[in-house]
Amino acid sequence: YYHPTGPLGEMFALLAARGTPLRVGAIGLGAGAVAAYARPGDEFTFYEIDRAVIEIATDRRYFTYVPDARGSVTIILGDGRLTIGARPDASLDLIVLDAFTSDAIPVHLLTKEAFEQAYLPTLARGGIIGVHISNRHLALGGVLARIAESVGCVAYGVNDDVTPELALQGKKDSTWVVIAPEGTDLGEIASGGRWVRGRAAPGTPLWTDDYSNILSVMFPASNSP
């Protein structure tokens, strides 16, 4: 999912080309693979709600992404929306939302209020939000396109299909959406043709803290990315 030739690799390449250390916040630690992108001088903060996940990801008997990261890595235990929302404004260049690959997703991370109150205020000028939505059961692209429209942002999505050669390296197919306040913040992601501008289908409901509908995005769904 996190292969350097994939969507996340494109996001990091876009930001790294600016030539300054990166401040990255990631909701969802998993095995800590995102930490492999940290360079000397970069500051990565992971927000993870499950203490057991932290213990496993930081134990080099199982995974070495976090222990071997070249940049600074901090892990904060707690709900990602609340903890990332407590950061100072404009303090992150990239926010990675990576908690949606299971069949029981944390819906409160995918609402208009989550973006308005937690993610966008924390995003620095020129910053972007990458959302990993690979899922065998749910098509979340339309939900994110609708949210992006509602908060005055642009969204682009990509289904990254793996070649047989890269599959031998362990790369897997993945689906990502990138959201930014301005299309110009996305560089070649917005102009290269590989990523598709996300536009919510007419009638796509807006997910809020008061309303969401998981059944409406189960495959097959009209609002797939």
Side-chain angles (χ1 to χ4, degrees):
Y1 289 151
Y2 313 103
H3 197 278
T5 65
L8 186 62
E10 292 182 62
M11 295 180 218
F12 274 106
L14 170 72
L15 295 171
R18 299 175 185 175
T20 57
L22 298 180
R23 300 162 298 172
V24 178
I27 294 180
L29 173 63
V34 175
Y37 282 98
R39 308 164 303 171
D42 291 344
E43 298 178 2
F44 280 45
T45 305
F46 289 90
Y47 301 90
E48 174 56 53
I49 199 168
D50 190 335
R51 188 182 301 275
V53 170
I54 298 174
E55 293 174 353
I56 293 171
T58 55
D59 188 334
R60 64 169 54 254
R61 292 178 300 171
Y62 307 116
F63 300 103
T64 61
Y65 300 113
V66 172
D68 290 347
R70 294 177 296 160
S72 169
V73 175
T74 301
I75 302 174
I76 296 178
L77 177 67
D79 177 83
R81 175 173 166 178
L82 296 178
T83 50
I84 206 170
R87 289 185 63 102
D89 288 351
S91 61
L92 291 173
D93 303 300
L94 171 64
I95 297 174
V96 180
L97 306 181
D98 189 18
F100 310 113
T101 55
S102 74
D103 56 357
I105 63 171
V107 171
H108 72 291
L109 300 180
L110 281 183
T111 67
K112 178 183 179 182
E113 291 86 354
F115 279 79
E116 287 181 327
Q117 299 169 12
Y119 312 146
L120 291 175
T122 311
L123 207 60
R125 184 178 179 85
I128 63 176
I129 302 170
V131 191
H132 183 204
I133 58 170
S134 303
N135 195 295
R136 291 180 296 175
H137 309 288
L138 306 174
L140 297 170
V143 171
L144 286 163
R146 180 72 177 88
I147 291 174
E149 292 171 358
S150 74
V151 296
C153 291
V154 296
Y156 283 80
V158 64
N159 293 308
D160 186 41
D161 297 324
V162 178
T163 64
E165 294 77 13
L166 289 174
L168 290 175
Q169 298 180 17
K171 183 180 179 183
K172 294 183 178 296
D173 294 345
S174 63
T175 303
W176 291 77
V177 172
V178 64
I179 295 173
E182 302 289 343
T184 53
D185 296 334
L186 295 174
E188 291 187 1
I189 288 178
S191 60
R194 178 169 132 87
W195 294 71
V196 178
R197 176 73 182 266
R199 301 186 188 277
T204 301
L206 176 63
W207 284 18
T208 68
D209 286 349
D210 295 322
Y211 174 85
S212 61
N213 187 341
I214 289 291
L215 292 179
S216 71
V217 295
M218 292 184 68
F219 287 122
S222 61
N223 62 341
S224 58

